[in-house]
């Protein structure tokens, strides 16, 4: 757990204000100014001291490896590495003491950007190599940009992401069931009952996972499908079409607000927040129930180190891991 009270940092550009905190290098608020009205469109803890507690991953920077690694292990160059198991014998979001629980250091800051840094030592949660990581949040009118950089002194695996939950009608407005979602993906990676990828790459055609056109979330989740039953909704990796910095997803709120996500990563985890049960109180004082927000986590494929057919998530000593995700906010 983060041992100190997190420091809050405010970034501003035009009618946009982003609040981030040092614990977990996490997003706490993303406030949009509409005329005289301010609307916070992300879920955040009412009590800032909860950041770094390991609870719910709200807004946190995730590492060393986002999503799940089966059996809390992977093999690299013939050597098996045993990891911290923190979910049903698997490693979720980097293990029991993932990057979401760390105190990050501010190394650069002005009104429009902040850079956080973290050193993860050799053997941290079982991962090989000392990993030096930075994440930079930058804002301009209507845009939030996240830039990740990592280097290692020994070959390892890395997949960094951000775990912000969005609700474009306001973080206090209840379920996102009426939001419409589009994902630029012709395929996804099915999971077993433990939410571990089976290794299959499945065409979305004819399935509830065909989000190539705007789809209402509530209507999608009402369909009968084994994959939806496994996750109590969506908690799946979509294989993003194309390469480079490109369109990943667009979210439409009933308010008319829109969010476009762009990334250079091969996948995006779409998670509809089934686990929220009213025990988390948000920044407005509202308790979060099921589907209070939706996470769009740009990422390497879950469990990729254990599936040779998935794109590699290996970072070699001397190489640089670099990744960018952009959130563009607007109105229909």
């Amino acid at each position: 757990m983060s041992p100190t009270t997190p420091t809050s940092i405010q970034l501003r550009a035009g009618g946009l204000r982003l609040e981030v905190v040092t614990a977990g290098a996490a997003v706490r608020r993303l406030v949009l100014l509409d005329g005289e009205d301010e609307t916070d469109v992300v879920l955040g803890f009412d009590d800032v001291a909860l950041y770094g507690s390991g609870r719910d991953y709200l807004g946190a920077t995730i590492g060393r490896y986002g999503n799940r690694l089966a059996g809390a292990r992977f093999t690299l160059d013939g050597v098996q590495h045993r990891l911290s198991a923190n979910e049903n014998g698997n490693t979720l979001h980097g293990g029991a003491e993932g990057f979401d629980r760390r105190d990050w250091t501010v190394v650069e800051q002005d009104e429009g950007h902040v850079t956080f840094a973290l050193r993860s030592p050799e053997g941290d949660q079982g991962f090989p190599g000392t990993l030096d990581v930075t994440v930079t949040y930058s804002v301009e009118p209507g845009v939030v940009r996240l830039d990740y950089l990592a280097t290692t002194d020994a070959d390892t695996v890395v997949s960094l992401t951000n775990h912000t939950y969005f609700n474009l009608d306001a973080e206090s407005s209840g379920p996102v069931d009426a939001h419409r979602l589009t994902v630029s993906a012709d395929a996804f990676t099915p999971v077993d009952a433990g939410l571990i990828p089976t290794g299959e790459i499945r065409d979305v055609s004819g399935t509830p996972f065909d989000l190539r056109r705007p789809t209402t979330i509530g209507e999608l989740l009402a369909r009968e499908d084994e994959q939806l039953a496994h996750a109590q909704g969506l908690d799946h990796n979509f294989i993003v079409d194309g390469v480079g910095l490109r369109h990943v997803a667009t979210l439409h709120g009933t308010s008319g607000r829109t969010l476009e996500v762009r990334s250079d990563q091969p996948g995006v985890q779409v998670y509809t927040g089934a686990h929220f049960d009213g025990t988390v109180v948000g920044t407005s004082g509202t308790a979060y129930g099921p589907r209070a927000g939706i996470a769009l986590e740009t990422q390497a494929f879950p469990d990729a180190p254990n599936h040779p057919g998935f794109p590699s998530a290996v970072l070699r000593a001397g190489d640089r891991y670099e990744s960018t995700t952009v959130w563009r906010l607007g109105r229909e």
Side-chain angles (χ1 to χ4, degrees):
M1 182 182 296
S2 175
T4 58
T5 301
T7 299
S8 173
I9 296 165
Q10 308 281 340
L11 305 180
R12 292 179 171 82
L16 178 152
R17 175 166 56 87
L18 179 72
E19 180 187 356
V20 291
V21 296
T22 50
V27 171
R28 186 175 183 225
R29 290 186 175 96
L30 177 52
V31 178
L32 306 179
L33 179 63
D34 295 324
E36 296 183 355
D37 296 325
E38 289 190 342
T39 304
D40 184 1
V41 296
V42 304
L43 306 191
F45 289 117
D46 178 46
D47 183 357
V48 71
L50 287 174
Y51 288 93
S53 68
R55 185 175 183 181
D56 296 288
Y57 303 105
L58 257 63
T61 298
I62 301 297
R64 288 189 187 193
Y65 201 96
N67 216 290
R68 294 171 175 87
L69 292 167
R73 63 181 182 271
F74 70 93
T75 299
L76 178 60
D77 299 330
V79 177
Q80 186 178 90
H81 299 275
R82 288 279 183 177
L83 308 175
S84 164
N86 62 325
E87 187 200 52
N88 301 322
N90 304 311
T91 300
L92 174 63
H93 293 330
E97 295 288 334
F99 290 180
D100 61 292
R101 295 176 66 101
R102 308 297 173 87
D103 282 316
W104 291 64
T105 300
V106 176
V107 294
E108 192 173 294
Q109 177 188 354
D110 62 23
E111 187 176 66
H113 86 284
V114 61
T115 298
F116 295 104
L118 181 71
R119 169 164 282 189
S120 175
E122 162 74 31
D124 187 3
Q125 309 305 296
F127 289 94
T130 296
L131 193 75
D132 286 301
V133 183
T134 64
V135 57
T136 299
Y137 293 98
S138 307
V139 298
E140 56 187 77
V143 177
V144 179
R145 178 179 171 121
L146 296 79
D147 289 294
Y148 304 91
L149 172 65
T151 58
T152 180
D153 62 1
D155 296 349
T156 192
V157 297
V158 180
S159 178
L160 305 177
T161 191
N162 179 277
H163 211 289
T164 291
Y165 292 91
F166 294 94
N167 186 324
L168 298 180
D169 295 341
E171 61 85 31
S172 59
S173 64
V176 294
D177 294 8
H179 282 50
R180 289 175 293 128
L181 177 65
T182 307
V183 180
S184 292
D186 293 334
F188 75 106
T189 51
V191 295
D192 63 20
L195 303 182
I196 298 295
T198 63
E200 178 189 356
I201 292 176
R202 185 178 297 177
D203 191 323
V204 299
S205 300
T207 77
F209 298 83
D210 190 348
L211 303 178
R212 292 173 291 189
R213 294 183 178 180
T215 302
T216 301
I217 291 172
E219 293 177 3
L220 182 163
L221 298 182
R223 295 178 62 177
E224 290 195 12
D225 182 271
E226 181 184 60
Q227 287 294 306
L228 294 177
H230 284 337
Q232 296 181 288
L234 286 176
D235 192 0
H236 292 80
N237 173 61
F238 288 74
I239 300 171
V240 181
D241 299 338
V243 295
L245 188 61
R246 65 217 186 275
H247 179 268
V248 171
T250 300
L251 187 65
H252 302 256
T254 62
S255 60
R257 296 184 193 91
T258 61
L259 167 71
E260 179 189 285
V261 179
R262 298 177 65 84
S263 171
D264 51 17
Q265 289 296 287
V268 59
Q269 189 81 5
V270 180
Y271 176 46
T272 48
H275 76 283
F276 288 115
D277 60 2
T279 58
V280 172
V281 177
T283 48
S284 64
T286 300
Y288 295 147
R291 304 177 308 285
I294 181 169
L296 300 166
E297 305 158 60
T298 54
Q299 62 181 8
F301 289 11
D303 205 33
N306 294 314
H307 294 278
F310 286 179
S312 174
V314 174
L315 179 64
R316 299 291 181 184
D319 291 346
R320 289 161 62 94
Y321 171 102
E322 295 180 271
S323 177
T324 296
T325 293
V326 177
W327 302 335
R328 186 175 297 277
L329 298 126
R331 275 199 168 274
E332 293 182 287

